[in-house]
Amino acid sequence: MKDSTTLELTEGQQLALDQLHRIVQASRGSVAATHVAATADGYVEARVSVGCANLPPTQDGLRLRSVEAVTLRIPPDFPFRAPSVRTRHTRFAGAPHVNWGRHLCLYRSTATEWDPADGMYGFITRLLDWFEAAAAGQMDRPGEPLHPPNALTDDAAGLLVIRHDAPVARPDGPWLGAAVMHQVNDTRCDVVGWLAVEDPWPDSLDQLQESAALPAGARAFLAPVVVTTKHLTFEYPLTARELVESLAREHITPRLLLGLTGFVAGHNRTLLCSNADTTVSIGDDEDPPAAPVRLLLGTPSRGIAGDGPRRTHLVAWHLPDFADQVARLAADTAFSGHAYLSELGDKVIRFGSDWLDRQSTRWMRVYEARPEVTVRRDHATPAAWLRGKRILVLGAGALGAPVAEMCARAGAAHLTVVDHGLVHPGILARQPYTDADIGLFKAGVLADRLNRIDPHATRVEALVGNVTTRLSALDLHSFDLIWDCTANRIVRAYLERARRTDTAAWPHLATLMIGHHATRGIAAISSRGATGGGTDVLRRTALAVHADATHAFDDLVDDFFPTTPPTELFQPEPGCSDATFTGSAADVTALAGQLATGVLHALAEPADRHTMAVLIVRMPTGPTSTQPCGPRWLTWPNDTLATDEATGYDVRITSAALAEMRAEARRGARVRGPRVETGGTLLGAIDDATGVIFIDEATGPPPDSLLTEAYFQHGLDGVSGHLTARRQATGNISRFLGMWHTHPHTAAQPSATDRAAMTSLTLPLDDAPARALVLIAGGPPDVWHQWLATGHNPDLYAHLAARTASIKAEPPPPQPPTHLGPVQWWPGGYSTRRHRPVPVPRKGSRS
């Protein structure tokens, strides 16, 4: 290799040449470098010869010489920019991965494939691999994307975004027509539709806007399009004459091309004249302004090698004023309809031919956004669930705003944001608003911004006002997912009640919350068909974290479910502003992203996995912190539902409570007999705001209870202590709720004895409430046997009884009703010994 010491080289170029020199020495003659020279643009060129004699030719491969000569171009900032390579001939022109006849394309993406650490060693290895694949005819291996043609773009020619799937040429000839163009700004146009020459074309600008679903006032026009039947080349020429000659091989003659261009330009003039706003400003003798002219050329060059038919690859040619002049000349030609294909005037042809000889091509920059060739970067993520969905976001603050933006960027079809708050200076620290937005409604500002993300795919609507008032006017069943990001108990209670009273299945509901210092977050998930909403799921979360014996959730208890309300509240502004939380934009955005991703993960799973779940996220707090980080999941199945017919309240029985009742009924049937009643205590809560009675736990009968085939009387022994322990263990969330008993093999309806007992409600508590739940489990023999054998739900009767009789200072010991005759009875607890007979009930007075 020629000595390079006299060249002015950068440090990187010297490194490249040193590495190349070592490669040549180690190659034993298979690689040689014969000349090194600096170029005027700062590159260093090295002529390299590669031995290819050991690469046998194949039927589909390139014909290689025994030694192939190439020129390496080493950039000044090597190795942080990859070199390039070109041949000193054009024998490879037209082959895949050969650009402009000489440039060999070694990398599909240098950003991901070029490793600076490999330097020239990796580059020469890649070059040798290229020659090996070329000789074997495996430049586009099966399963790999085809290499589309290149067009040397000119940024001054403008930008084209293709949003609509492209037409495909017929086997017997090219596709001819027009693209419906939306002029977004002075430099950018979007393709939003296609018109074939045989289609009916719109007669007015209003019709064109309507056909393309463009808003009124959008600037729209047409551009001529030619789609060929065959792949033409791997790089498009720089002159108009060369382009037309290449199209002639596809039977697209200059007459045809000029005629199509002129016809489309003429139709554009008609559309502009039909626009009322334009007509007002144009005099009778004036011409309307010419529409921008673009010529779109499509070839079947996209797809996967060896996998099905090819899709159309599109490039766009910027034509300055040519097409409008053709249209003016063509207006003098006598033809109608699409007869321009054969009747174009000689005057037009002469003008066009002369223009072709002196016009250079100016290729527009093209961005693909059409579904058929574009793979969304989020297609394999949980966010893909949102695409095409209708989403409701309640709250436009620290959580609601980023969640709404995630939905818009994921391609939700419709997004409704509800919030009543205004932008004020304090929120700018962590919410996505600006100083210019101060005093404006958050929902409106957010919707305006999100509507600009992808107006073709997502429509964002703002509803300003009180959330609960706005919800009452919405058809909530039209949404696929509701995000409650308000952190507002009133909103949660309203949603819980609305879900309970609605006979139709609600959409998925996700309730998001952030802790006091934005170091923890919770997402409560109620899938479609879940028995409980956000209030329910958060309540059972509180029970779970309070009762956890490992103390793994003590931080959650302090942050979200404290036994006593926190005394240190963050007051963001003086006065009556809401007490919120401290945290930065980084904190809340990170939590919002993790919570939203977790929710979408859960929704994408099979519905039978769980119906209610909570995701707990803890933020990292530093390398020396002992706080556990990362996500934790808690899940629950649906509750068993009963209804108190008197109040209409839902009675929700957890699977654990019902399982305990069934276990006691099964044990009683074994040790006491199949018809002996049993029962016990219920723990839970009554929520009058939502109309829900929660049954969290059920216990068996105390030892001093009285159990017979005709009557169950609840004892008192040990009950008060157990209830006190459970109140403390659950943070006072779960308390005495009422009592349950069974009616084996008979209807789950209260007897006369039961109804009499409901009025006195002799309860085993010092602070006996004025109301308690009476729950009866029963059913005919087939239902009862199925419950005991398989766990299929029994018949249930629930009644929220209110005391009407006075409370005695000391409840009497359990005694059977005086009207009963003698029967055998059993105590509660685990005793299996029956006791002396007690009075037997008369016929029809069974309890």
Side-chain angles (χ1 to χ4, degrees):
M1 186 169 66
K2 182 178 177 180
D3 184 16
S4 59
T5 55
T6 59
L7 300 177
E8 293 185 6
L9 305 176
T10 65
E11 181 180 351
Q13 290 169 332
Q14 185 62 58
L15 172 65
L17 293 178
D18 290 343
Q19 292 176 342
L20 182 59
H21 179 70
R22 288 193 285 270
I23 292 170
V24 170
Q25 287 183 323
S27 69
R28 298 181 180 180
S30 61
V31 177
T34 58
H35 183 72
V36 176
T39 64
D41 56 1
Y43 280 73
V44 169
E45 291 187 347
R47 295 183 181 179
V48 173
S49 299
V50 178
C52 299
N54 62 339
L55 299 177
T58 61
Q59 180 178 356
D60 299 326
L62 293 180
R63 299 295 176 179
L64 302 181
R65 294 175 177 171
S66 59
V67 175
E68 287 288 348
V70 296
T71 299
L72 308 186
R73 284 176 50 83
I74 304 170
D77 49 353
F78 178 91
F80 304 109
R81 185 151 49 114
S84 60
V85 58
R86 68 185 180 194
T87 64
R88 296 199 289 273
H89 55 76
T90 58
R91 288 185 288 107
F92 300 158
H97 305 283
V98 178
N99 299 332
W100 317 116
R102 297 178 183 271
H103 293 265
L104 307 186
C105 184
L106 305 189
Y107 300 92
R108 293 183 183 274
S109 171
T110 55
T112 58
E113 297 179 41
W114 166 252
D115 186 352
D118 290 341
M120 291 301 293
Y121 302 108
F123 185 79
I124 295 299
T125 299
R126 195 79 173 208
L127 177 62
L128 297 177
D129 290 343
W130 191 96
F131 279 119
E132 183 177 350
Q138 297 178 348
M139 299 294 286
D140 286 319
R141 294 182 175 89
E144 292 185 351
L146 295 173
H147 192 293
N150 286 308
L152 192 60
T153 58
D154 180 354
D155 287 338
L159 171 65
L160 188 70
V161 180
I162 304 172
R163 297 190 172 276
H164 203 284
D165 287 350
V168 178
R170 299 184 302 271
D172 59 343
W175 187 93
L176 302 175
V180 180
M181 310 283 277
H182 174 208
Q183 184 82 36
V184 178
N185 53 44
D186 291 342
T187 59
R188 171 186 153 195
C189 294
D190 288 6
V191 176
V192 294
W194 308 93
L195 291 171
V197 291
E198 60 270 17
D199 293 337
W201 288 30
D203 297 324
S204 67
L205 190 58
D206 290 341
Q207 290 182 12
L208 184 64
Q209 292 167 346
E210 183 179 357
S211 67
L214 294 174
R219 189 179 179 191
F221 61 95
L222 302 174
V225 180
V226 174
V227 180
T228 66
T229 60
K230 297 178 181 178
H231 176 78
L232 294 181
T233 179
F234 281 97
E235 65 278 332
Y236 287 111
L238 300 178
T239 67
R241 174 60 67 184
E242 289 179 290
L243 175 62
V244 171
E245 289 176 352
S246 64
L247 291 174
R249 295 194 291 271
E250 274 286 291
H251 307 291
I252 302 172
T253 64
R255 176 183 291 271
L256 184 65
L257 186 63
L258 293 170
L260 177 62
T261 304
F263 179 80
V264 173
H267 202 82
N268 278 331
R269 292 164 61 83
T270 301
L271 295 176
L272 289 171
C273 288
S274 70
N275 185 6
D277 294 336
T278 305
T279 304
V280 170
S281 63
I282 298 175
D284 293 338
D285 298 329
E286 296 182 61
D287 288 326
V293 179
R294 317 282 190 258
L295 172 65
L296 274 65
L297 174 61
T299 58
S301 306
R302 281 191 175 271
I304 303 298
D307 184 17
R310 296 186 176 188
R311 296 185 177 94
T312 301
H313 174 75
L314 290 163
V315 292
W317 184 12
H318 174 75
L319 307 176
D321 58 352
F322 161 67
D324 189 61
Q325 294 183 53
V326 170
R328 294 172 187 268
L329 293 171
D332 298 330
T333 303
F335 64 82
S336 60
H338 298 130
Y340 65 91
L341 297 177
S342 60
E343 299 181 10
L344 194 65
D346 292 339
K347 189 176 182 181
V348 178
I349 291 296
R350 286 195 301 271
F351 168 79
S353 298
D354 178 65
W355 182 87
L356 290 173
D357 286 328
R358 55 184 173 83
Q359 180 66 29
S360 62
T361 52
R362 297 180 61 199
W363 297 106
M364 301 177 66
R365 185 175 299 278
V366 175
Y367 287 159
E368 291 284 10
R370 48 182 164 138
E372 64 178 345
V373 298
T374 303
V375 177
R376 287 182 58 92
R377 286 166 169 78
D378 62 356
H379 80 284
T381 69
W385 184 93
L386 292 163
R387 187 157 181 80
K389 299 289 199 305
R390 289 178 56 86
I391 308 297
L392 174 62
V393 179
L394 307 180
L399 278 175
V403 166
E405 181 164 341
M406 294 170 199
C407 294
R409 294 193 182 280
H414 189 278
L415 184 62
T416 301
V417 181
V418 186
D419 195 287
H420 74 284
L422 297 169
V423 178
H424 54 82
I427 70 170
L428 301 184
R430 65 183 181 214
Q431 296 185 26
Y433 302 102
T434 67
D435 182 81
D437 302 326
I438 292 176
L440 303 178
F441 286 105
K442 290 183 185 179
V445 173
L446 183 63
D448 288 344
R449 182 168 63 84
L450 299 187
N451 268 318
R452 295 194 291 271
I453 292 176
D454 190 353
H456 300 272
T458 303
R459 177 174 175 266
V460 185
E461 175 186 14
L463 295 181
V464 176
N466 181 274
V467 174
T468 56
T469 302
R470 283 296 194 173
L471 283 176
S472 63
L474 286 174
D475 178 13
L476 297 177
H477 302 103
S478 66
F479 296 98
D480 297 289
L481 171 62
I482 300 174
W483 297 94
D484 177 12
C485 302
T486 61
N488 188 310
R489 291 179 181 268
I490 298 172
V491 173
R492 290 202 296 273
Y494 178 91
L495 291 171
E496 194 74 41
R497 187 179 186 90
R499 290 180 86 257
R500 180 186 69 79
T501 57
D502 199 333
T503 57
W506 259 45
H508 303 296
L509 171 64
T511 304
L512 273 55
M513 297 174 61
I514 283 182
H516 291 100
H517 301 290
T519 56
R520 304 171 191 88
I522 284 181
I525 305 165
S526 303
S527 300
R528 190 186 301 274
T531 53
T535 294
D536 188 324
V537 177
L538 289 173
R539 182 181 179 277
R540 64 183 69 224
T541 303
L543 284 171
V545 300
H546 272 287
D548 180 65
T550 67
H551 300 284
F553 299 107
D554 285 355
D555 59 325
L556 270 293
V557 173
D558 295 337
D559 214 354
F560 294 99
F561 312 110
T563 305
T564 57
T567 57
E568 296 183 4
L569 297 177
F570 169 62
Q571 206 75 24
E573 284 90 20
C576 297
S577 59
D578 293 335
T580 58
F581 60 91
T582 58
S584 68
D587 297 327
V588 296
T589 303
L591 283 170
Q594 292 181 77
L595 295 173
T597 299
V599 169
L600 297 174
H601 263 300
L603 297 183
E605 290 187 354
D608 58 353
R609 292 287 296 275
H610 52 74
T611 55
M612 294 174 285
V614 69
L615 169 63
I616 300 165
V617 172
R618 297 176 172 103
M619 293 285 286
T621 55
T624 60
S625 173
T626 58
Q627 174 181 302
C629 298
R632 286 289 300 272
W633 283 95
L634 301 174
T635 61
W636 301 271
N638 266 347
D639 291 338
T640 297
L641 296 183
T643 303
D644 175 13
E645 298 297 340
T647 62
Y649 284 12
D650 268 3
V651 179
R652 300 179 184 172
I653 310 170
T654 64
S655 58
L658 193 62
E660 179 61 31
M661 293 163 60
R662 175 172 173 259
E664 170 58 28
R666 284 165 57 89
R667 191 180 76 87
R670 291 194 307 270
V671 302
R672 305 184 191 107
R675 293 185 176 275
V676 177
E677 295 185 9
T678 187
T681 307
L682 298 173
L683 290 85
I686 302 170
D687 187 339
D688 291 305
T690 62
V692 178
I693 301 172
F694 299 99
I695 299 179
D696 305 321
E697 301 178 37
T699 68
D704 59 337
S705 300
L706 188 152
L707 290 68
T708 77
E709 292 186 3
Y711 180 74
F712 168 76
Q713 186 163 332
H714 199 294
L716 304 176
D717 191 12
V719 172
S720 182
H722 176 73
L723 294 176
T724 300
R726 294 309 297 157
R727 283 201 306 271
Q728 293 175 351
T730 61
N732 209 30
I733 296 171
S734 193
R735 304 169 61 89
F736 174 81
L737 178 63
M739 292 176 282
W740 69 276
H741 68 277
T742 61
H743 283 182
H745 304 282
T746 58
Q749 290 295 322
S751 66
T753 305
D754 293 330
R755 295 187 186 279
M758 290 179 190
T759 62
S760 60
L761 287 178
T762 303
L763 306 175
L765 289 174
D766 295 334
D767 56 344
R771 298 179 300 171
L773 181 69
V774 176
L775 183 71
I776 302 173
D782 58 335
V783 173
W784 186 257
H785 282 304
Q786 193 171 18
W787 181 44
L788 296 187
T790 66
H792 192 275
N793 289 342
D795 292 343
L796 295 168
Y797 168 84
H799 178 62
L800 186 60
R803 178 184 295 109
T804 58
S806 60
I807 306 176
K808 297 180 180 180
E810 287 292 334
Q815 294 291 337
T818 57
H819 65 274
L820 302 181
V823 294
Q824 295 293 328
W825 66 278
W826 285 260
Y830 286 93
S831 175
T832 59
R833 182 174 60 89
R834 72 179 65 188
H835 288 243
R836 61 180 174 79
V838 295
V840 171
R842 294 188 298 273
K843 185 178 180 180
S845 63
R846 176 181 175 83
S847 66

